[in-house]
Amino acid sequence: MKTYIKLFALSSLLVLGSCSEDFLENEPYTDKVTENFYKTPSDAFEGLVAVYDVLQREAYGTQLIVSEQASDNCFGGFGIADPTVDLQWDRFQYTTDKDMNALTWTNSYLGIYRANVLLENLDKVNWGSDTALKTRYEAEARFLRAHFHFQAAKMFGDIIPLDHTVTTSEFELPRQAAEVTYALIANDLKFAADNLGNENYSQAGNANYGRITKWAAEAYLARTFLFYTGAYNKPDLAGVITKAQATTYINDAVSNSGHGLVPDFANLWLAASLENFVGEDNTEMVWAVRFNGSGKGNWDLHEGNRFQVNIAPRGGSIGRYATGWGGATVNPKLVEAYEPTDSRRAASFIDYAGENLNFDAQAREQRQYTGYSWKKYCPITNAAGTAVVEANGGNFQIDNYQDYAIIRFADVLLMAAELNLDGNAGLAQADLDRVRDRAFKNTAHRIPVTKAVIMEERRLELALEGLRYFDLIRQGMGVMKAAIDNNTGDSQFNVTFRPETLGWFALPQSQIVLSNGSIQQNPGWN
């Protein structure tokens, strides 16, 4: 039986709709619409910025925090009187909010739609002799289209791949098998990797920092290759990219990108290293989503980082850490997995007792208090104890300004170690060693490279960066259940992973309703 899904309101997601019949003979002069807009390279750049703009919608209920709650890294957290949906993400339940995953779905398709609008109008632009600029914009837009498809596909499994803007006759399109979606993703990423120049924007003050580069595309090809081949037990990436090709791409990113590891892991994270923070536009950031506090409390803008407030200490600022909602409390099993001399432990987590912070969980109404919360991405206070974002005139909920790192060079090294493991064990060992040497600040903690060692190193190096849950999916349901199941004797922390879900999240019920019942919920979520 074919399954169908209605893509509702796609034409309203970006205000570039056509005018009414009364004005068919006149060119609109107050609205920018597709029919009269795409004429100059400047117009195309505005369209490209609109695609990038969707990246800034990472917030509550989206992939970063939800995947960490669902993984073995975190529990649900938040306040004792807050809705229970966060507990449901943590415990693989689906009872009170049938649209609990809607934001990931709608944000993904908003990004896909905007990318397709731009791609379909590039030929209308008068590029003059600068055809290279057209190719660059196409490469960036196709990369972003691939990213938004991947965001949805790794959450929901089978989705609707869209290489064009849909018409009204296509509002009920079939969900496609995974290989169809991943073939589109792979072709888009390959185009970006093969057509972007050798620029590296991760230098302080570079105006292009945050834009897609060849190196980001090569790394993202490796990421999607590893996920797809693992999750679906396939030998290649949807018949488009072989393992040898993926390995060549990632090795190129390691050797020729100009990216590297900053010397001290702690200096990557503002709350971990106030005095020695290296800045967000540093050599390790292969691709990051940029944020700033320029919105100054304007909820209609999405300039600030709306994610950060969710994981910050609940009930008021404490020490250097600014206040937030106490979401996704950290599982002590993760903290305990680090060796005592591993610098990443103190840099990644707030240890309330270890840092002599008097955090009264009952008074602060903190749910699922574990003694640990996120230091990565935690907003900070100034010397007077005021949240920096508020001292600068912003709203602590929506105007935080720290960038979100989607690909760090450490991840590139670990993907390279994994892809080279069978064909060049010496290179795989060297890539792993670079990550561990930085973590321990010496060479005395090197261990022989294996697949299991690499996966554990990914757990430690990339904790709380939105990758762990998907690393578990690609290792299989047995590994996933062994990692996530939790029963310490305290029922508030009990978690039982359900392999019947295959690791996919529940589809938003609104999509099923709008399809008039022609699609079914993902396995395990009925």
Side-chain angles (χ1 to χ4, degrees):
M1 175 185 293
K2 289 185 177 180
T3 56
Y4 293 85
I5 191 151
K6 182 173 291 185
L7 301 175
F8 65 102
L10 279 178
S11 60
S12 67
L13 291 178
L14 181 60
V15 185
L16 291 173
S18 60
C19 52
S20 68
E21 292 185 4
D22 292 339
F23 299 95
L24 286 178
E25 301 304 317
N26 299 298
E27 179 176 343
Y29 57 91
T30 58
D31 296 323
K32 294 177 179 179
V33 297
T34 53
E35 287 78 10
N36 78 333
F37 180 60
Y38 287 98
K39 296 179 179 179
T40 68
S42 178
D43 296 339
F45 182 70
E46 286 191 44
L48 182 60
V49 169
V51 189
Y52 275 97
D53 179 72
V54 182
L55 297 170
Q56 294 179 314
R57 295 175 183 250
E58 194 69 51
Y60 174 76
T62 53
Q63 191 164 111
L64 175 54
I65 190 168
V66 168
S67 68
E68 290 293 340
Q69 290 170 317
S71 79
D72 56 337
N73 282 350
C74 299
F75 298 105
F78 287 92
I80 58 174
D82 285 339
T84 62
V85 67
D86 295 283
L87 299 178
Q88 293 169 50
W89 276 313
D90 179 32
R91 298 169 180 172
F92 300 90
Q93 298 169 346
Y94 182 58
T95 55
T96 60
D97 183 357
K98 298 297 186 177
D99 252 14
M100 59 195 289
N101 298 312
L103 282 176
T104 295
W105 182 276
T106 57
N107 287 347
S108 296
Y109 279 100
L110 172 57
I112 292 166
Y113 175 76
R114 290 188 178 184
N116 281 332
V117 168
L118 174 61
L119 289 166
E120 290 172 358
N121 285 280
L122 288 177
D123 286 338
K124 298 178 182 179
V125 173
N126 181 7
W127 297 98
S129 60
D130 198 354
T131 56
L133 185 61
K134 176 187 176 182
T135 301
R136 176 184 178 183
Y137 286 7
E138 180 181 357
E140 290 184 65
R142 290 184 66 173
F143 176 103
L144 291 167
R145 182 171 68 179
H147 167 72
F148 290 120
H149 274 105
F150 187 51
Q151 289 289 90
K154 67 182 180 177
M155 284 280 283
F156 301 112
D158 292 351
I159 61 166
I160 307 94
L162 292 176
D163 63 356
H164 64 283
T165 56
V166 299
T167 63
T168 55
S169 64
E170 297 177 294
F171 276 8
E172 293 183 357
L173 289 172
R175 287 207 285 173
Q176 299 285 341
E179 57 263 33
V180 179
T181 296
Y182 281 91
L184 175 59
I185 291 171
N187 278 302
D188 279 350
L189 292 175
K190 187 176 188 303
F191 184 89
D194 293 346
N195 286 280
L196 288 170
N198 294 329
E199 295 87 0
N200 177 330
Y201 303 134
S202 296
Q203 304 113 18
N206 192 307
N208 284 312
Y209 173 65
R211 291 184 72 170
I212 306 306
T213 65
K214 170 187 180 70
W215 317 115
E218 290 185 336
Y220 215 109
L221 265 171
R223 177 177 289 182
T224 52
F225 178 92
L226 289 168
F227 181 82
Y228 176 78
T229 55
Y232 294 97
N233 192 27
K234 300 289 186 179
D236 56 35
L237 179 51
V240 178
I241 300 293
T242 66
K243 184 175 182 180
Q245 289 174 307
T247 305
T248 297
Y249 279 120
I250 199 67
N251 287 345
D252 188 37
V254 170
S255 301
N256 300 313
S257 67
H259 288 286
L261 299 177
V262 304
D264 192 328
F265 177 86
N267 294 348
L268 287 166
W269 314 104
L270 183 57
S273 184
L274 297 182
E275 299 79 13
N276 299 306
F277 178 53
V278 293
E280 293 166 317
D281 44 357
N282 64 75
T283 187
E284 190 158 339
M285 296 304 170
V286 179
W287 183 41
V289 178
R290 304 210 65 182
F291 292 100
N292 63 73
S294 64
K296 295 294 186 289
N298 187 340
W299 287 83
D300 293 328
L301 300 177
H302 288 269
E303 298 299 312
N305 187 329
R306 299 190 181 191
F307 165 78
Q308 289 183 260
V309 70
N310 292 291
I311 52 84
R314 186 173 186 84
S317 299
I318 183 168
R320 68 172 66 180
Y321 311 114
T323 188
W325 305 135
T329 52
V330 175
N331 190 333
K333 290 196 300 186
L334 172 59
V335 181
E336 293 160 5
Y338 292 80
E339 295 180 52
T341 56
D342 190 333
S343 66
R344 296 172 297 192
R345 173 174 172 160
S348 300
F349 316 109
I350 300 172
D351 177 353
Y352 290 99
E355 298 178 38
N356 295 314
L357 299 170
N358 184 21
F359 188 94
D360 187 332
Q362 183 174 4
R364 291 171 178 257
E365 300 184 343
Q366 173 68 62
R367 184 168 62 195
Q368 292 182 301
Y369 178 67
T370 65
Y372 302 101
S373 61
W374 300 44
K375 190 173 291 185
K376 289 181 179 179
Y377 298 118
C378 187
I380 61 169
T381 61
N382 60 19
T386 302
V388 169
V389 65
E390 292 187 314
N392 291 337
N395 183 305
F396 80 99
Q397 299 178 83
I398 61 173
D399 288 326
N400 284 295
Y401 50 85
Q402 292 181 42
D403 294 349
Y404 166 35
I406 298 184
I407 305 173
R408 289 197 289 115
F409 190 67
D411 186 11
V412 173
L413 288 170
L414 292 173
M415 289 190 290
E418 190 172 348
L419 284 166
N420 283 287
L421 186 60
D422 295 332
N424 190 338
L427 184 57
Q429 184 70 60
D431 289 333
L432 173 67
D433 288 346
R434 291 178 69 179
V435 176
R436 288 186 63 82
D437 290 353
R438 196 263 299 267
F440 291 95
K441 301 183 180 181
N442 59 52
T443 61
H445 289 78
R446 295 181 176 180
I447 56 179
V449 64
T450 66
K451 176 69 175 292
V453 164
I454 293 170
M455 298 312 296
E456 181 64 11
E457 202 64 31
R458 290 183 62 82
R459 179 192 182 199
L460 303 175
E461 175 70 29
L462 304 168
L464 311 182
E465 296 182 48
L467 299 176
R468 172 62 173 172
Y469 186 83
F470 307 105
D471 278 349
L472 288 174
I473 285 181
R474 63 188 181 92
Q475 295 178 77
M477 295 301 100
V479 170
M480 199 166 190
K481 184 169 179 60
I484 291 176
D485 279 4
N486 196 76
N487 186 355
T488 62
D490 188 339
S491 61
Q492 68 175 315
F493 299 114
N494 285 354
V495 177
T496 301
F497 175 70
R498 296 187 293 113
E500 64 269 25
T501 67
L502 304 179
W504 310 128
F505 287 79
L507 289 169
Q509 184 66 19
S510 58
Q511 296 296 324
I512 297 172
V513 171
L514 286 165
S515 75
N516 295 316
S518 61
I519 67 167
Q520 296 180 354
Q521 184 54 268
N522 273 337
W525 295 107
N526 290 321

